[in-house]
Amino acid sequence: MLNELYQPPLALLTDLYQLTMAYGYWKLGRADQHAVFHLFFRKPPFRGGYAVAAGLEQALQYLERFRFEQSDLDYLGSLTGNDGAPLFEQAFLDYLGQTKLSVDVDAVQEGTVTFGQEPLLRVRGPILQCQLLETPLLNLINFQTLIATKSARIATAAGDDPILEFGLRRAQGIDGALSASRAAYIGGSTATSNVLAGKMFGIPVKGTHAHSWVMSFDTEAEAFAQYAAAMPNNCVFLVDTYDTLDGVRQACKVGKKLREQGHEMVGIRLDSGDLAYLSIEARKILDEAGFPKAAIVASNDLDEHIIENLKSQGSQIAIWGVGTKLATAFDQPALGGVYKLAAIQQADGTWQPKVKLSEQAIKTSIPGTLQVRRYMEDGRMVGDMIYDEQVGVDPRRVIVDSKDATRRKRLAETTSVELLRPAMQGGKRVAMAESLKDIRERAQRQLASLHPTIRRFMNPHEYPVGLDIGLHELRDNMIHEARQARWQAEEDPS
Ligand SMILES: Nc1ncnc2c1ncn2[C@@H]1O[C@H](COP(=O)(O)OP(=O)(O)OP(=O)(O)O)[C@@H](O)[C@H]1O
Ligand SMILES: O=P(O)(O)OC[C@H]1O[C@H](OP(=O)(O)OP(=O)(O)O)[C@H](O)[C@@H]1O
Ligand SMILES: O=C(O)c1cccnc1
């Protein structure tokens, strides 16, 4: 479904430095030189063992609509440098005005479980275009991948229990809320309280009532009775406005009247206090009053750790309402996804891999036109190989950890799948939009096929991801050559 809020092309949704570089490439006559960039994160968020890819659909919609409008060009034309003269010359702005994207994009499907260093997106095409797209692609993929991952962790803690996403009121603005609802659903939440997200994305919507409803009546009993009268088919009573367990008893009284009228109370909601103790006591009251099927919903600053803890305490909570900590990814508010140049085409048509050195091994980039091959055994994911598509997989079938070359693994010749799939070719979308339900199911399937130790919250087991040994050797040589060249330049500054 097209995201109605984002109809206008948003070519200016980029960092100015992308445009300063674009200008430079254009002036040098290099705008059309082809390059390859990869979008990836280095470490999974939340000190976890994986991430769930999300946001591709919005990224593709952005790319499909990409163009500079006259008002964008006028604005760019008004920018000046430190001497007061225009930053960009008119001929460049005319060039931007005529630019139609012609890039190829290969991407990991949404809902795919991914790991550090693996490209989620590969963009190949004129370097000027690739460069302009860095910022919006990172913006669109980083956030949803972060939230889908947080949601997957919360769903892991909740087991088979439904999760209601209540984040809208605390989310970071309108898009922060809408895209969080979408990504949370992909990661495993069951429904959202955000009605606009429900309409836009087809996510099931659910809602109970607030304390204000109870407070607006003289008594809690009257509040529940009037709620039941207004909405007999959606009765989840919030019981903690005055005295929680007393509230549960009041809910049971109204539940009995509802039953006489042919309706069943759905449950009660706890929103404060000791949720383990209160849910255990509430369960007893509900059962004794003849409501064994009434669900106990809980909310109040929940996250995966509290849910896991409440479960270990034998809490009787059946449905989890999770807002702030899910929609804002409270404990890690950003995924550190990056977008790096990895190869550039020479005048003779050959591709030159490029590597960026760093003091930190994890920041040394991976050169080439990369693809990720996932190896499977009996339906389980056993290892991912990052290889250069132009070179192919080395027959040794060995992966080498990109941060520690002593860690290697030989992958058996089993079923494998390539994770990056064509999404755009020559600037035209080729991947069909997928239903959110299908994306969510993919995430569920893949999470289930991960060894549980990789899903563990504390010090998770590391899933084997590595460079194809041939690519590792090429990268190693490039690193040595680049170092050698630097040392030589230092010794012989002339
Ligand atoms: N049994 C429990 N074990 C672990 N954490 C709990 C338990 N019960 C509640 N919590 C969590 O403890 C946090 C604070 O709970 P607290 O009881 O202080 O909330 P409260 O009663 O609503 O207080 P406040 O009015 O300050 O919000 C919440 O994140 C809540 O989810
Ligand atoms: O706790 P969250 O995970 O963010 O879930 C959403 C919260 O929003 C509502 O509270 P409200 O905004 O009325 O505030 P309060 O309950 O903290 O007073 C609801 O009762 C939840 O407590
Ligand atoms: O429906 C609810 O219970 C709800 C919705 C948003 C925030 N807190 C609770």
Side-chain angles (χ1 to χ4, degrees), residues 428-446:
K428 297 267 170 307
R429 180 169 181 162
V430 291
M432 300 260 286
E434 295 191 280
S435 81
L436 211 54
K437 191 168 158 283
D438 289 348
I439 295 171
R440 185 175 187 276
E441 280 170 10
R442 175 178 299 119
Q444 305 307 295
R445 246 191 343 267
Q446 295 203 5

Side-chain angles (χ1 to χ4, degrees), residues 268-271 275 296-300 302 317 319-322:
I268 58 149
R269 178 160 75 96
L270 305 173
D271 191 41
L275 296 174
I296 300 179
V297 185
S299 51
N300 190 16
L302 296 173
I317 296 160
I319 301 176
W320 306 86
V322 189

Side-chain angles (χ1 to χ4, degrees), residues 89-369:
E89 62 191 84
Q90 187 56 45
F92 173 65
L93 299 178
D94 294 343
Y95 175 87
L96 289 183
Q98 285 153 19
T99 296
K100 287 200 175 70
L101 283 191
S102 58
V103 291
D104 295 338
V105 178
D106 293 85
V108 161
Q109 290 178 301
E110 290 190 276
T112 301
V113 169
T114 59
F115 305 94
Q117 307 290 345
E118 296 180 347
L120 301 184
L121 222 72
R122 186 178 76 198
V123 183
R124 180 167 34 184
I127 192 164
L128 178 146
Q129 296 183 21
C130 296
Q131 193 65 66
L132 288 178
L133 299 177
E134 168 174 349
T135 310
L137 290 177
L138 285 170
N139 175 280
L140 290 161
I141 303 288
N142 269 332
F143 182 63
Q144 284 206 42
T145 300
L146 181 76
I147 302 299
T149 309
K150 185 71 179 168
S151 177
R153 291 165 63 83
I154 290 168
T156 299
D160 291 333
D161 303 342
I163 296 152
L164 312 180
E165 177 267 305
F166 286 165
L168 174 56
R169 63 190 56 206
R170 307 263 157 61
Q172 325 293 27
I174 296 174
D175 177 63
L178 291 168
S179 49
S181 293
R182 180 180 188 274
Y185 186 64
I186 290 175
S189 63
T190 320
T192 180
S193 63
N194 182 339
V195 185
L196 184 56
K199 179 184 172 215
M200 276 176 142
F201 303 121
I203 307 171
V205 290
K206 289 260 186 274
T208 71
H209 68 80
H211 296 108
S212 55
W213 174 266
V214 179
M215 291 155 70
S216 77
F217 294 88
D218 289 341
T219 63
E220 188 180 53
E222 193 192 351
F224 289 171
Q226 294 300 345
Y227 192 73
M231 193 159 256
N233 60 357
N234 188 40
C235 279
V236 177
F237 299 113
L238 176 59
V239 292
D240 70 340
T241 308
Y242 304 115
D243 175 298
T244 302
L245 296 180
D246 209 41
V248 181
R249 290 184 199 101
Q250 295 293 353
C252 291
K253 281 188 195 155
V254 176
K256 282 184 184 156
K257 289 219 174 86
L258 254 185
R259 193 173 273 167
E260 285 163 17
Q261 293 155 15
H263 294 287
E264 208 42 39
M265 157 167 84
V266 179
I268 58 149
R269 178 160 75 96
L270 305 173
D271 191 41
S272 59
D274 186 316
L275 296 174
Y277 168 78
L278 289 171
S279 65
I280 291 167
E281 295 306 310
R283 185 72 271 156
K284 285 186 205 155
I285 296 171
L286 289 165
D287 289 353
E288 279 164 20
F291 294 100
K293 291 203 175 127
I296 300 179
V297 185
S299 51
N300 190 16
D301 278 338
L302 296 173
D303 65 8
E304 66 273 40
H305 305 293
I306 298 179
I307 294 174
E308 188 176 58
N309 201 271
L310 283 167
K311 285 207 163 243
S312 76
Q313 296 172 54
S315 80
Q316 294 296 306
I317 296 160
I319 301 176
W320 306 86
V322 189
T324 312
K325 289 184 174 168
L326 170 53
T328 66
F330 200 72
D331 46 339
Q332 187 186 323
L335 176 73
V338 294
Y339 181 88
K340 298 290 167 198
L341 177 82
I344 194 151
Q345 200 170 29
Q346 302 303 294
D348 62 5
T350 58
W351 282 88
Q352 185 186 20
K354 288 279 180 185
V355 73
K356 170 183 162 289
L357 300 187
S358 169
E359 298 302 325
Q360 291 163 271
I362 200 168
K363 287 198 166 183
T364 301
S365 69
I366 305 171
T369 302

